[in-house]
Amino acid sequence: MTRRDVVVVGSGPNGLAAAVTLARAGLGVLVLEAEPTVGGGARTLDLGLADGITHDVCSAVHPMAWASPFFQEFDLAARGVELLVPEVSYAQPVPGGRAGIAYRDLERTVAALGVDGPTWRSLVGGAAAPAVRVALGDKRSIPVVDPRAALRFGLGVLEQGTRAWDRRFVDEVAPALLTGVAAHAISPLPSFAAAGTALLLATLAHAEGGWPIPRGGSGALVAALRADLEAHDGVIRTDHRVRRFADLPPAHCYVFDTTPRTLVEVLGTKLSPRARAALDAFRYGDAAAKVDFVLDGPVPWTVPEVGLAGTVHVGGTRDEMARAEGAVARGEHADLPMTLVSDPTVVDGTRLADGRRPLWTYAHVPSGSDVDVTEAVTRHIERYAPGFRDVVVTSRCTPASRMSEHNQNYVDGDISAGAASIGQLFARPTRRWDPYSSGRDGVYLCSASTPPGPGVHGLGGWYAAKRVLREFGITTLPSLAP
């Protein structure tokens, strides 16, 4: 086989970000993808549920893409990718016919939350810049931020990451609105990792880009990356699963957009015992089961404003969500599991076909669960949208145990490619000073198992590419502009 400068294993957003960066620097790049289609967790596919309906296979809503320095320089808009911004970033229905509404307009949100509005403003207002720079960094360098804003953000994490999280709230709506975002971490509540996740994503909800949905689906981001890579002579080979080192063509460097587990399986004894032990110690978290629906009308939410949201967190009150996530952490299935819901047609009419629409949902479950959660998800949505069953045309569940069939990085259904804990936010995947190094010269990791962690931002790949370029004596990053 032809020798390449760099072989990238995996074509998720991080793998493609690395490949684009390296190809633009003039290196010969080959991307190997196990699946028939590229994109990893950012694919949009026809699942065969209804004519003309496509579903986002994993990620659907992209605040991290809007905030990402990589995608800002890559300039998605100039490449024809439209990030559509809902009027309501996300919503949280609670019992009693009420709901928390996170409008993109912060002050409108504050006013709607009433007595807890000032507390909401103090927690998330004005904290976006330091939150983003800290959260989206490589966890080894110190970002330049306003120290007062950073302190405010840090104190918010300390408060919301402990049982002090209720001390300033009066009503139940605002804390539920924040906890629904914290639950993205799929971890016990409260925790520091979940609190950091909540404050980061909540601040982005009120930023200029909000929680955007790409027109046509998440695959639009991948298509733009692929087009740029191929325009710079990069090559993508699909249906090429890498199980062992012999499956790799010769190259100067290898970049793995995979979990540490896959890296160890492929490299085997080519890794030192110490490096293998460090990678084997990486912990994977609890899981998500996916239910894709096709509807013949909008979800009949009791609170109409919930239907304006690109994302709805169906979990109830803060206490209910804490109990549900606690059950999952104990290896149990919650009767009403924490459920994330997104209807892209809220802003993207191109996703409609003959009056039908896709509905994207995830439910949190124990690692490796083989349970079909369709009924549990349907029942939970019905709690806040009576009559939901009547608009369902068809559905398909992918249990946690089968999530890795379409993306090997989702170990036992862990869509974050590694447990969200305060330790693994920094020692991700190991305690090495260079978190992208595998422990073997010329071999790097760049997946969500590396900093800055999960999310469609491309930064793991971009940061890893900087290390690879140095191996070729290239010290200046290439421009990513169109």
Side-chain angles (χ1 to χ4, degrees):
M1 289 182 283
T2 303
R3 182 179 179 87
R4 302 280 178 173
D5 291 321
V6 183
V7 170
V8 178
V9 180
S11 68
N14 282 312
L16 290 176
V20 163
T21 305
L22 297 168
R24 278 176 164 260
L27 301 181
V29 179
L30 170 65
V31 178
L32 302 177
E33 170 55 50
E35 298 299 316
T37 55
V38 299
R43 286 176 290 160
T44 304
L45 301 176
D46 182 346
L47 301 181
L49 297 181
D51 291 343
I53 297 293
T54 58
H55 288 81
D56 292 309
V57 174
C58 182
S59 60
V61 184
H62 297 282
M64 303 289 265
W66 175 82
S68 165
F70 170 81
F71 278 119
Q72 288 173 1
E73 186 171 337
F74 189 70
D75 197 348
L76 289 166
R79 299 169 186 277
V81 178
E82 294 182 73
L83 295 181
L84 307 173
V85 184
E87 176 185 354
V88 175
S89 294
Y90 64 92
Q92 178 82 36
V94 296
R98 298 194 298 163
I101 308 294
Y103 297 98
R104 193 160 62 87
D105 184 331
L106 173 63
E107 292 308 314
R108 186 178 177 187
T109 306
V110 168
L113 291 175
V115 66
D116 285 325
T119 297
W120 186 267
R121 185 194 293 113
S122 72
L123 282 170
V124 305
V132 168
R133 287 175 186 156
V134 171
L136 297 187
D138 63 7
K139 304 299 189 291
R140 297 298 186 273
S141 55
I142 301 175
V144 178
V145 297
D146 179 342
R148 292 170 298 180
L151 177 62
R152 181 174 163 188
F153 179 75
L155 291 174
V157 171
L158 289 174
E159 174 188 301
Q160 292 302 305
T162 67
R163 285 296 173 185
W165 65 346
D166 280 331
R167 70 181 184 88
R168 287 194 290 160
F169 288 115
V170 177
D171 195 14
E172 66 179 5
V173 173
L177 188 62
L178 191 61
T179 306
V181 196
H184 280 247
I186 316 183
S187 69
L189 299 170
S191 71
F192 291 129
T197 299
L199 296 184
L200 168 66
L201 294 178
T203 58
L204 289 176
H206 304 303
E208 179 183 351
W211 283 22
I213 295 173
R215 186 182 297 279
S218 298
L221 304 174
V222 171
L225 289 166
R226 179 173 190 165
D228 190 86
L229 173 62
E230 294 178 339
H232 291 85
D233 300 321
V235 176
I236 298 175
R237 188 181 300 161
T238 56
D239 288 309
H240 187 110
R241 187 174 297 278
V242 177
R243 295 184 175 88
R244 52 184 180 163
F245 195 76
D247 296 331
L248 293 168
H252 184 80
C253 286
Y254 299 95
V255 181
F256 282 73
D257 183 9
T258 70
T259 63
R261 179 177 297 183
T262 297
L263 179 66
V264 169
E265 290 173 354
V266 171
L267 291 188
T269 57
K270 294 183 181 296
L271 286 170
S272 70
R274 181 177 180 181
R276 287 190 61 161
L279 292 167
D280 282 337
F282 186 71
R283 294 189 303 104
Y284 299 90
D286 284 310
K290 183 101 182 300
V291 184
D292 291 296
F293 292 94
V294 175
L295 311 182
D296 62 7
V299 179
W301 300 107
T302 299
V303 179
E305 288 82 359
V306 174
L308 302 175
T311 302
V312 181
H313 300 131
V314 179
T317 65
R318 168 170 275 186
D319 286 345
E320 287 175 325
M321 287 181 280
R323 286 197 297 272
E325 295 296 83
V328 169
R330 293 191 301 271
E332 304 168 4
H333 288 83
D335 290 336
L336 294 173
M338 183 67 211
T339 301
L340 279 65
V341 178
S342 179
D343 178 355
T345 65
V346 167
V347 286
D348 184 6
T350 69
R351 303 291 294 277
L352 290 162
D354 296 326
R356 295 179 174 181
R357 67 187 67 207
L359 189 74
W360 173 106
T361 73
Y362 268 136
H364 295 173
V365 296
S367 175
S369 165
D370 62 0
V371 172
D372 183 329
V373 297
T374 303
E375 175 55 30
V377 167
T378 301
R379 186 171 65 250
H380 207 177
I381 295 174
E382 277 263 339
R383 187 184 184 197
Y384 304 104
F388 171 66
R389 292 179 190 275
D390 299 332
V391 299
V392 174
V393 176
T394 188
S395 64
R396 188 187 80 169
C397 177
T398 305
S401 61
R402 299 189 62 188
M403 292 291 284
S404 62
E405 292 179 11
H406 68 77
N407 190 331
Q408 193 173 341
N409 287 3
Y410 299 158
V411 176
D412 292 326
D414 175 7
I415 59 174
S416 297
S421 65
I422 197 67
Q424 284 200 170
L425 287 178
F426 295 94
R428 190 178 185 94
T430 69
R431 296 179 181 177
R432 297 179 64 89
W433 179 250
D434 183 353
Y436 308 98
S437 171
S438 68
R440 179 181 171 86
D441 290 345
V443 180
Y444 298 85
L445 267 173
C446 75
S447 68
S449 301
T450 67
V456 178
H457 43 61
L459 291 171
W462 200 34
Y463 295 149
K466 295 179 183 181
R467 276 75 171 172
V468 175
L469 289 174
R470 288 200 290 265
E471 294 219 12
F472 292 88
I474 301 172
T475 57
T476 302
L477 276 173
S479 169
L480 298 175

